[in-house]
């Protein structure tokens, strides 16, 4: 049944349709706008779940690819046609959507977190008619990123997330919102620029294909991911054969490093992380849910899809570097998180730390590690979404999220505090909750190759216990403050996502193969390639 | 004849440089306009020298010079007109004082 | 003459040309001397006076005496004048006026510099005199002089435009700017002379030329009644003489040009009369023009300054352009 | 071409003579004429009044406007001459072109006229 | 041999002749109309003239297509080759005419007596400027090009100074005259050397003669080209020769600023393309040293312009100066395709150029039209004039956002694709440093352009006066915004069209 409808396109474009629909609605009716947004967030989620249900890992998701030529730009062919009978010489941007074990979990994550975040938009108090279109546009961008199988398309969706985020942070954020928005824009803009350069190198070398048609030769440059993989594998392809379009070793390294930096900024790596702190503290909670829950995962996805899968040789030799970076991230994030007085910052630094674990997973270069990385990404997405949901709901009631001003909330807000505690425990990697599985798989993968680094990394996880418990406990226990007595417990519309997310976290914690099964075959090609390298 | 060409070209180059120097350093707006004319005249000299003693002498250079003279005249006319308008506003022709547009 | 032109340049040529130039200078000085005399006489007659009659027979030496007086007169330079420019101005006025004479062909075999640019050469050089006049007015540091100089500049540049344009018709008919060829083109009966087909151009030329000469009725720059003497109010002695000299040389040149461009140069009015040397015909026509110039000086009052400027731009210029159109059409129609 | 240079030799000779003549005559005059300068003689002549202020003032803008007009029209006539010289060889279309050209000039003139540039209101 | 204009030639010059005729007619009309009659009618007349000229250009394109289908060369040499009717010129002419039409239309809605006191002049002086621009893009001879360039320059000098009473306007005009004059002197000086080496001013003949001359007069050829490069850099306001641009753009009336930024710049760019492709591209084969040096110099200039332009715009508080500096950067981008090697792989430089030019036309004119509206309501041209535009005029703010996205090069807009093609070309030819600079400046430009967005959406503006929109200006703004987005979503038809019309061999190599 799913084969008959363009399900991937629907997932991508339905939120955009929703954006258009909200634009047509009356300005003052916040409730109508919100529910429309929720509906248009739920539908893609449902489609994603259907996909999940019918997904057969062994096929690698091939059944759900959607092909189409989107733009076919003519390049002036005279110079070539004169000599080689070329009839058509074009730069083609494909509309290629596809899904596999790597992207499906992230698509699901996007659906879940977006829906929850849409529910959490009750905290938004102004300019709804601008908010919801942007919010939905952002979703289109995110789905597109995870589903695009053409680098240009990927890039466009990637950029498409920038603009709405800029507005969402800049208009609805807190006091330093403009600065946060600027910083977000500049860092991510830089990241996407670097990425584009890397992609263009790929297109100019790997994206080239010549087909013999009836009329003559047709030369095409395209950003198709599959073409790239095919060209990489084919020793006779122009990219490997020398000449003008030769992907030389240096070029390979250049593209590798460019893409590493691009996705590293998004992830974020240690020196590029400052923008993220601002966003975490200044953006409104529902936006941070998306940002921390999904946008950071775009970095993970990109690292795996474009850095690891396309450059096995390079990543092979740089695995120690990546692992070191990962360990730095873990320790740096963890140590600084211990020192923060602002709960949002604790969470922000913990994100850095958790992303370090993802890096470790990737650096391990084995299936377990990769699975761990993605698992960790999904799980962190859910956990941080939940945490920020709670933060948002607390902030609405208390007007602060500073640790020293809060305390003893457990008495006035028992339900919220309970969820907060669960989320905190998940975040620090308590077995039985999803956080544990991701960390465990990543370390397990890495342990095969880098035992010492693993050990240091695990040390970081111990810190996690310190900062999470310090933060959470400071808020829910401790001396009860007078002014927090009369606080109202979470409303239904807030409680619903909290419960849902908690349930998912528990589910993933106890039933990990729900996701790992999906990923089974996602890395086959890469691993084979690595094996030949290591072996030969 | 080649030496003739060289001397004309040198003269033109000197004139051009004087003109350029004037444009860049002179404080009186009228002198600046004069300097531009000097540069254009250097070019005319060049063109005419080439058209007579050039590697491939042809009349085109003279025609070109004619056009360039006309254009230079028109340019000077507009330049002076603008300067008059400016003078009416500022009562000075010192280019250092044309600083209302700040960066 | 011709054979000099057809052989390469040598010092010998330079010598001969120098003699020629000196001859021209002598002729011009004699002309100026007696033109002034003649002018005073003519005006005198027209105003029922006698004119100069004391110095020499019939007063013939009057101008000579005047020149001698100027030569011996004390030369004062005002203390507040700009000395360098003050001294430069008269020479600057004279040099181009003299240079103009280099191109005037008096006869078929008596050309001086036979330049292809012909008339343009005259225009270019006479423009320099305008500068000299402005310089004189400026350097004197005298209010009358400055006004005179500025007026003179405005007037001369204004009238230069119709003057130049009035010749376009002649050029179109001739197909050359070369003065000798202009004359050769007018060979034949006197109705082949340009002044009949180019009557409009001729009229514009004459009016503009008179104005270019700063002569009455267009002598605003030196209008005695308002500006005392205009730009040369501070000049005395021989410096003053040089301004006068150049003014009269221009008169000479314009008369020659009018003869050449419109009155057929050295051509006789009827080809049958060509036994009389061309030089005589030239001189006759020249004399008529010169007389005409004196005549209008004696009879016409001076224009007001706005009338003067208006006339150049609003009357002469459109007429000159009209003349170009008519000439072009005429050539299309009648070949 | 070489022979044509003769014509300019004449011009050069006239130029030299034109420069030499005033110098010679003025030097000659210096020998002959008296020179007894007094401050009275060297005052600027303003009909017997003592001169007030400097006379080297800025020109009225009006003069610049005329200068502009002159530059425009005089230079345009430069283009008329080559056309006029070659007119008989050019044919009817050249006539149309020149009508256009001169027509443009005329419009310029009318423009100046309407904008009262030609109205002389200075002394 | 005397080559004169013939009646058949006048058909090829029809667009220019139409414009000239309209100029004259409108000038006369302006003189004849009594003072109290509004001058809008002249503006509409100018618009009609522009459209008519555009129709003739399209007609030419059609003719050329017919010839091409018939197997003939798709170009025509007119007046002994000094004028070329080819699709390079035709496409650019369309761009210039369209841009000018937009500007005229926008100013019909906004030009107030304060902005341009003598409106009639403004409308009919813009037409000869366009003729100049068209001559620059359509000439096959340096002489004609030069005359076109000066026609454009001199009319724009006047246009900049058209606010007679404003000291700013006059000051800007004077600066423009000085730099413009110096630039022409440089260009002309370079041309004179090129002429001296080859004995001709006809571009194609120069191209043929240069390889021979290269052996003996190498130094002179270098001098010629580098002088021209300096001149053009001045004209195009490429860094480090851009200092005049912000002053002039700020001082000029906004419609004139738009014209300078778009048409004047585009025309100079067209001239650079024509001259360099026709002549400097000569040294193929053994001795490509000169060519490599020249194109490297162009690349360096482009890079410098991008960097300096955006860096200067970073701290700019005056919206017009900011757009001027962004224009500097954009000129750099427009120059990039030319500076790249013309190889088997990269031969689509013209499509890249013309597409980005079209994008630039739309986004710049749109942004300046919005600026006119906004500055009129706020009374100044600082960035803060945009404060809270979202509240005051939400639709205009939305349009401006689209335009700014295009300027910044965000998907999916014309600016994005324009940059993408150019970037792809740089990568194709292996000029990674240029790609890096282009990308780096693009990132910085986000900050620059988003400062408008910050003002519009994130600053209060409830107390500011509301923005009064007029229909023509509104039309222009929306045409530009919609065009920017539409070109971004459907670049293919445009590029297919350009690619089908333009041909390197016909337009640049055929003599």
């Amino acid at each position: 049944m799913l084969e008959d409808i363009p399900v991937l396109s629907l997932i991508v474009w339905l939120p955009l349709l929703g954006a258009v629909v909200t634009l047509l609605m009356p300005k003052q009716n916040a409730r109508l706008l919100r529910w429309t947004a929720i509906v248009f967030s739920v539908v893609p989620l449902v489609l994603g779940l259907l996909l999940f249900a019918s997904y057969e890992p062994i096929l690698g998701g091939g059944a759900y690819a959607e092909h189409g030529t989107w733009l076919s730009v003519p390049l002036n062919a005279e110079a070539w046609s004169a000599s080689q009978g070329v009839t058509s010489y074009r730069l083609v941007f494909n509309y290629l959507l596809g899904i596999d074990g790597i992207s499906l979990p992230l698509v699901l994550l996007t659906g879940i977190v977006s829906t929850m975040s849409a529910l959490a938009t009750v905290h938004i108090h102004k300019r709804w008619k601008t908010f919801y279109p942007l919010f939905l546009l952002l979703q289109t961008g995110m789905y597109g990123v995870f589903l695009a199988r053409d680098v240009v398309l990927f890039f466009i969706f990637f950029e498409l997330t920038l603009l709405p985020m800029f507005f969402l942070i800049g208009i609805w954020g807190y006091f330093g919102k403009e600065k946060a928005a600027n910083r977000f824009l500049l860092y991510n803009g830089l990241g996407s620029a670097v990425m584009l350069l890397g992609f263009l190198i790929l297109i100019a070398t790997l994206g080239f294909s010549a087909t013999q048609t009836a009329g003559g030769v047709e030369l095409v440059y395209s950003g198709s991911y599959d073409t790239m993989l095919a060209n990489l594998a084919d020793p006779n392809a122009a990219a490997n054969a020398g000449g003008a379009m030769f992907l030389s070793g240096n070029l390979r390294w250049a593209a590798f490093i460019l893409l590493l930096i691009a996705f590293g900024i998004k992830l974020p790596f240690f020196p590029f992380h400052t923008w993220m702190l601002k966003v975490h503290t200044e953006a409104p909670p529902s936006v941070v849910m998306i940002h921390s829950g999904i946008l950071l995962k775009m970095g993970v996805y990109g690292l795996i899809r474009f850095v690891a899968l396309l450059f096995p040789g390079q990543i092979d030799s740089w695995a120690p570097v990546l692992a070191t970076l990962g360990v730095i991230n873990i320790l740096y994030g963890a140590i600084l998180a211990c020192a923060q007085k602002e709960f949002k910052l604790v969470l922000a630094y913990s994100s850095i730390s958790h992303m370090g674990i993802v890096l470790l997973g990737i650096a391990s270069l084995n299936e377990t590690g990769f699975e761990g990385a993605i698992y960790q990404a999904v799980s962190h997405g859910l956990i941080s979404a939940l945490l920020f949901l709670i933060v948002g709901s607390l902030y609405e009631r208390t007007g602060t999220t500073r640790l020293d001003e809060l305390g003893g909330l457990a008495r006035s807000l028992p339900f919220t505090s309970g969820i907060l505690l669960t989320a905190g425990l998940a975040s620090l990697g308590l077995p039985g909750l999803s956080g544990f599985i991701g960390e465990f798989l990543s370390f397990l993968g890495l342990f095969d190759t880098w035992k010492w680094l693993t050990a240091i990394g695990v040390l970081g996880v111990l810190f996690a216990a310190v900062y999470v418990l310090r933060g959470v406990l400071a808020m829910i226990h401790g001396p009860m403050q007078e002014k927090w007595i009369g606080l109202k417990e979470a409303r239904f519309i807030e409680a619903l996502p909290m419960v849902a997310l908690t349930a998912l976290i528990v589910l993933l914690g106890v039933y990990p193969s729900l996701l790992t099964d999906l990923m089974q075959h996602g890395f086959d090609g890469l691993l084979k390639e690595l094996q030949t390298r290591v072996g030969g | 004849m080649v030496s003739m060409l060289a001397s004309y070209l040198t003269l033109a180059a000197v004139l051009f440089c004087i003109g350029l120097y004037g444009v860049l350093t002179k404080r009186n707006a009228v002198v600046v306009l004069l300097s531009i004319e000097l540069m254009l005249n250097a070019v005319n000299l060049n063109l005419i020298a080439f058209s007579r003693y050039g590697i491939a002498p042809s009349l085109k250079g003279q025609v070109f010079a004619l056009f360039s003279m006309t254009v230079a005249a028109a340019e000077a006319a507009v330049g002076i007109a603008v300067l008059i308008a400016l003078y009416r506003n500022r009562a000075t022709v010192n280019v250092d004082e044309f600083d209302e547009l700040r960066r | 003459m011709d054979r000099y032109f057809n052989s390469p340049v040598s010092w010998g040529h330079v010598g001969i040309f120098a003699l020629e130039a000196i001859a021209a200078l002598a002729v011009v000085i004699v002309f100026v001397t007696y033109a002034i005399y003649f002018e005073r006489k003519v005006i005198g007659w027209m105003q029922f006076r006698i004119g100069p009659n004391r110095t020499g027979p019939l007063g013939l030496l009057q101008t000579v005496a005047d020149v001698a007086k100027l030569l011996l007169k004390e030369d004062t330079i005002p203390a507040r004048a700009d000395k360098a420019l003050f001294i430069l101005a008269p020479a600057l006025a004279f040099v181009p006026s003299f240079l103009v004479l280099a191109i005037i062909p008096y006869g078929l075999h008596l050309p001086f510099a036979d330049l292809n640019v012909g008339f343009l050469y005259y225009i270019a050089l006479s423009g320099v005199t305008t500068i000299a006049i402005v310089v004189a007015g400026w350097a004197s540091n005298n209010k009358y002089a400055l006004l005179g100089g500025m007026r003179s500049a405005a007037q001369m540049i204004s009238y230069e435009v119709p003057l130049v344009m009035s010749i376009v018709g002649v050029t179109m008919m001739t197909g050359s700017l070369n003065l000798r060829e202009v004359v050769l083109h007018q060979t034949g009966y006197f109705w082949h002379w340009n002044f009949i087909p180019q009557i409009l151009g001729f009229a514009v030329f004459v009016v503009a030329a008179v104005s270019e000469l700063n002569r009455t009725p267009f002598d605003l720059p030196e209008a005695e009644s308002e500006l005392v003497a205009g730009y040369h109010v501070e000049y005395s002695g021989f410096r003053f003489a040089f301004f006068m000299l150049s003014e009269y040389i221009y008169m000479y040149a314009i008369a020659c040009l009018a003869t050449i461009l419109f009155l057929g140069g050295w051509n006789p009015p009827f080809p049958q009369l060509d036994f009389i040397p061309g030089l005589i015909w030239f001189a006759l026509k020249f004399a008529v023009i010169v007389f005409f110039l004196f005549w209008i000086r004696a009879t016409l009052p001076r224009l007001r300054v706005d009338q003067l400027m208006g006339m150049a731009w609003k009357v002469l210029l459109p007429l000159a352009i009209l003349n170009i159109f008519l000439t072009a059409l005429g050539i299309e129609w009648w070949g | 071409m070489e022979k044509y240079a003769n014509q300019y030799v004449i011009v050069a000779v006239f130029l030299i003579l034109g420069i030499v003549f005033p110098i010679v005559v003025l030097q000659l005059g210096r020998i002959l004429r008296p020179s007894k300068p007094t401050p009275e003689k060297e005052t600027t002549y303003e009909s017997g009044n003592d001169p007030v202020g400097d006379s080297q003032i800025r020109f009225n803008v009006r003069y610049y406007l005329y200068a502009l007009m002159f530059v425009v029209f005089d230079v345009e006539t430069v283009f008329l001459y080559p056309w006029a010289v070659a007119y008989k060889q050019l044919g009817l279309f050249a006539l149309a072109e020149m009508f256009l050209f001169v027509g443009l000039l005329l419009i310029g003139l009318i423009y100046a006229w309407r904008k009262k540039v030609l109205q002389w209101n200075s002394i | 041999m005397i080559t004169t204009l013939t009646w058949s030639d006048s058909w090829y010059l029809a667009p220019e002749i139409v414009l000239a005729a309209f100029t004259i007619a409108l000038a006369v009309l302006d003189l004849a109309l009594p003072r109290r009659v509004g001058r809008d009618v002249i503006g509409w007349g100018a618009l009609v003239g522009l459209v008519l000229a555009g129709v003739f250009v399209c007609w030419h394109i059609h003719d050329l297509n017919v010839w091409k289908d018939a197997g003939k060369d798709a170009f025509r040499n007119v007046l002994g080759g000094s004028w070329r009717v080819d699709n390079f010129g035709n496409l650019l002419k369309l761009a210039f005419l369209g841009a000018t039409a937009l500007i005229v239309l926008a100013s019909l809605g906004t030009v107030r007596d304060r902005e341009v006191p003598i409106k009639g002049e403004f409308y009919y002086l813009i037409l000869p400027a366009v003729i100049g621009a068209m001559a620059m893009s359509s000439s096959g001879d340096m002489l004609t090009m030069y005359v076109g360039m000066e026609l454009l320059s001199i009319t724009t000098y006047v246009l900049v100074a058209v606010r007679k009473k404003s000291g700013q306007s006059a000051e800007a005009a004077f600066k423009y005259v000085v730099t413009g004059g110096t630039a022409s002197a440089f260009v002309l000086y370079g041309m004179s050397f090129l002429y001296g080496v080859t004995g001709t001013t006809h571009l194609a003949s120069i191209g043929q003669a240069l390889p021979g001359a290269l052996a003996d007069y190498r130094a002179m050829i270098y001098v010629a080209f580098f002088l021209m490069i300096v001149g053009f850099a001045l004209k195009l306001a490429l860094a480090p020769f851009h200092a005049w641009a912000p002053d002039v753009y700020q001082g000029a009336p906004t419609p004139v600023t738009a014209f300078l930024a778009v048409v004047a710049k585009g025309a100079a760019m067209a001239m650079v393309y024509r001259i360099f492709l026709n002549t400097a591209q000569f040294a193929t084969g053994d001795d490509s040293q000169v060519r490599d040096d020249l194109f490297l110099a162009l690349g360096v200039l482009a890079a410098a312009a991008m960097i300096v332009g955006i860096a200067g715009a970073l701290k700019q508080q005056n919206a017009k100066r900011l757009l001027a500096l962004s224009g500097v950067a954009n000129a750099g981008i427009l120059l990039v395709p030319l500076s790249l090697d013309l190889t088997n792989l990269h031969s689509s430089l013209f499509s890249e150029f013309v597409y980005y030019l079209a994008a630039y036309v739309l986004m710049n004119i749109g942004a300046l039209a919005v600026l006119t509206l906004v500055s009129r309501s706020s009374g100044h041209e600082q960035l803060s004039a945009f404060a809270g535009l979202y509240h005051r005029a939400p639709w205009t703010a939305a349009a401006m956002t689209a335009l700014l996205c295009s300027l910044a090069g965000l998907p999916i807009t014309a600016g994005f694709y324009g940059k993408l093609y150019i970037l792809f070309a740089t990568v194709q030819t292996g000029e990674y440093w240029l790609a890096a600079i282009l990308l780096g400046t693009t990132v910085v430009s986000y900050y620059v352009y988003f400062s408008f967005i910050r003002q519009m959406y994130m600053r209060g503006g409830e107390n500011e006066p509301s923005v009064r929109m007029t229909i023509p200006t509104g039309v222009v703004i929306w045409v530009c915004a919609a065009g920017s987005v539409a070109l971004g979503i459907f670049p293919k038809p445009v590029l297919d069209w350009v690619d089908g019309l333009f041909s390197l061999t016909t337009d640049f190599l055929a003599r």
Side-chain angles (χ1 to χ4, degrees), chain A residues 255-309:
Chain A
F256 169 74
I257 292 173
L258 286 172
L259 292 176
L260 188 64
I261 292 174
F263 294 114
I265 291 176
K266 197 80 194 173
L267 191 61
F269 276 175
F270 158 60
F272 304 124
H273 64 281
T274 50
W275 64 273
M276 181 193 117
L277 304 174
K278 279 269 174 224
V279 173
H280 271 77
T281 49
E282 301 298 345
S286 49
V287 174
V288 185
M289 281 172 74
I290 287 195
H291 177 254
S292 178
I294 311 170
L295 290 181
L296 301 188
K297 299 342 175 248
M298 285 166 28
V300 179
Y301 176 75
L303 272 182
I304 292 174
R305 167 89 54 203
F306 295 106
V307 179
L309 293 184

Side-chain angles (χ1 to χ4, degrees), chain B residues 7 15 33 36 39 55 59 63 70 75 95:
Chain B
S7 41
L15 278 179
L33 289 179
I36 292 176
M39 288 165 84
I55 292 131
L59 264 182
V63 177
T70 319
E75 204 167 282
V95 285

Side-chain angles (χ1 to χ4, degrees), chain D residues 30-106:
Chain D
R30 175 174 289 186
I31 302 163
L32 297 174
R33 70 189 174 221
S35 179
K36 297 193 187 74
T38 63
E40 198 78 340
K41 277 183 197 166
E42 292 190 345
T43 51
T44 305
Y45 173 74
E46 286 190 2
S47 308
N49 299 323
D50 281 338
V52 179
D54 200 25
S55 299
Q56 296 187 336
I57 49 164
R58 284 186 201 283
F59 288 16
N60 189 310
V61 167
R62 183 65 48 191
Y63 290 100
Y64 286 108
L65 285 176
Y66 275 83
L68 284 184
M69 295 276 294
F70 167 72
V71 166
V72 173
F73 280 92
D74 211 40
V75 173
E76 300 316 321
T77 41
V78 168
F79 281 93
L80 280 176
Y81 272 94
W83 170 78
V85 168
Y87 177 67
K88 286 185 175 167
Q89 307 153 44
L90 288 177
L92 198 60
F93 204 89
L95 177 66
E97 275 179 291
M98 196 43 64
F99 262 62
L100 208 67
F101 184 82
V102 177
L104 281 173
L105 273 187
L106 267 179

Side-chain angles (χ1 to χ4, degrees), chain A residues 70 76 78 80 130 178 182, chain E residues 344 347 390 417 454 503 505:
Chain A
W70 164 38
N76 198 313
E78 283 163 289
W80 277 34
T130 318
E178 277 189 33
N182 268 344
Chain E
N344 268 354
S347 56
Y390 168 75
Y417 279 103
R454 281 199 301 281
S503 145
T505 42

Side-chain angles (χ1 to χ4, degrees), chain C:
Chain C
M1 233 25 232
D2 287 358
R3 79 192 156 84
Y4 294 112
F5 290 136
N6 294 331
S7 51
V9 185
S10 73
W11 283 112
H13 289 166
V14 176
I16 288 166
F17 295 149
L19 288 178
E20 222 178 276
I22 290 168
L25 185 61
V27 167
V28 164
I29 286 176
V30 170
F31 163 78
V32 170
T33 313
Y34 283 93
I36 294 173
Y37 169 75
F38 192 50
E39 183 175 14
R40 296 171 70 176
K41 270 289 191 209
V42 167
I43 293 173
W45 292 332
M46 287 186 177
Q47 296 170 343
F48 300 103
R49 298 187 278 113
I50 299 174
N53 61 353
R54 300 292 166 89
T55 323
L58 297 174
L60 273 174
L61 294 179
Q62 178 65 49
T63 326
V64 179
D66 283 348
V67 171
K69 179 199 75 180
L70 284 175
L71 194 61
L72 296 174
K73 212 171 163 180
E74 183 179 355
D75 180 37
T76 50
I77 299 176
R80 294 172 53 171
D82 185 330
K83 263 209 182 88
L85 288 180
F86 190 86
I87 292 169
L88 176 69
L92 192 60
F94 171 74
V95 173
S97 70
F98 184 61
L99 264 176
V100 160
L101 301 182
I103 54 153
I104 291 170
Y106 303 100
L108 184 57
H109 302 289
L110 268 179
F112 281 10
D114 188 24
L115 297 182
N116 284 340
V117 289
F119 180 69
L120 285 183
Y121 171 90
Y122 172 83
I123 294 296
L125 284 169
S126 66
V128 178
T129 303
T130 315
I131 299 175
I133 289 172
V134 176
V135 167
W138 176 263
S140 303
N141 202 353
N142 177 310
K143 291 171 185 81
Y144 296 127
L146 185 72
L147 281 175
M150 289 187 334
R151 262 192 204 177
S152 160
Q155 179 185 344
M156 287 179 93
I157 61 176
S158 294
Y159 278 87
E160 192 166 315
V161 176
L163 183 72
V164 178
M165 285 213 179
S166 63
I167 311 299
V168 173
V170 173
T171 315
M172 284 163 76
M173 296 184 67
T174 314
S176 169
L177 276 170
N178 187 313
L179 293 178
R180 194 146 67 133
E181 283 177 31
V182 172
V183 176
L184 289 176
H185 186 260
Q186 303 176 57
T187 316
Y189 291 95
F190 68 90
W191 54 83
H192 289 121
W193 296 353
N194 280 335
F195 80 99
I196 292 188
Q198 286 292 316
I199 184 71
L200 196 53
F202 185 52
V204 173
F205 178 84
V206 168
V207 177
V210 173
S211 178
E212 281 285 283
L213 294 173
N214 283 344
R215 289 181 61 84
T216 329
F218 303 108
D219 61 343
L220 275 290
E222 43 194 288
E224 303 91 351
S225 44
E226 21 180 332
L227 296 182
V228 187
Y231 60 91
H232 53 64
V233 67
E234 291 291 354
Y235 282 88
S236 59
F238 230 75
R239 295 190 204 285
F240 167 73
F242 270 110
F243 281 118
M244 292 313 280
L245 183 58
S246 54
E247 201 175 311
Y248 275 87
I249 295 178
Y250 273 124
M251 191 169 85
Y252 174 88
I254 278 285
C256 289
L257 276 177
T259 310
I260 292 162
L261 293 170
F262 291 98
L263 297 182
W266 55 82
N267 288 318
F270 303 97
Q272 292 81 354
L273 293 176
D274 63 358
F275 55 88
I276 301 171
L279 203 56
I280 305 281
W281 287 117
F282 190 97
L284 274 174
K285 294 170 190 171
F286 171 83
V288 168
I289 303 271
V290 170
F291 175 75
F292 175 74
L293 292 175
F294 295 160
W295 186 10
I296 55 174
R297 175 168 178 193
T299 47
L300 291 180
R302 185 186 303 133
L303 270 71
R304 217 168 55 218
V305 65
D306 59 325
Q307 292 170 332
L308 175 85
M309 304 307 276
M311 179 151 169
W313 293 103
K314 296 178 186 170
V315 180
L316 293 186
L317 183 57
L319 280 180
I321 292 176
L322 180 67
N323 179 49
I324 296 172
F325 281 155
L326 291 179
T327 312
L329 287 176
I331 292 175
E332 279 312 318
W333 249 274
W334 296 294

Side-chain angles (χ1 to χ4, degrees), chain A residues 70 73-74 76 78 80 89-90 127 130 155 159 163 166-167 170 178 182 189-190 193 197 200 221 244 251, chain E residues 344-345 347 390 410-411 416-417 421 423 428 432 439 443 446-447 450 453-454 457 459 496 499 503-505:
Chain A
W70 164 38
V73 180
N76 198 313
E78 283 163 289
W80 277 34
Y89 174 48
R90 325 185 66 93
R127 288 158 82 172
T130 318
F155 174 79
E159 288 268 291
L163 192 65
F166 177 81
F167 281 106
E178 277 189 33
N182 268 344
L190 182 66
L197 188 53
L200 286 173
Y221 279 108
L251 219 46
Chain E
N344 268 354
L345 285 178
S347 56
Y390 168 75
L410 283 168
F416 169 72
Y417 279 103
Y421 299 140
L423 267 173
Q428 248 183 337
Y432 299 108
L439 277 168
V443 175
Y446 288 172
Y447 181 85
F450 273 61
I453 291 187
R454 281 199 301 281
Y457 290 91
R459 299 285 162 86
D496 272 339
D499 189 67
S503 145
L504 267 177
T505 42

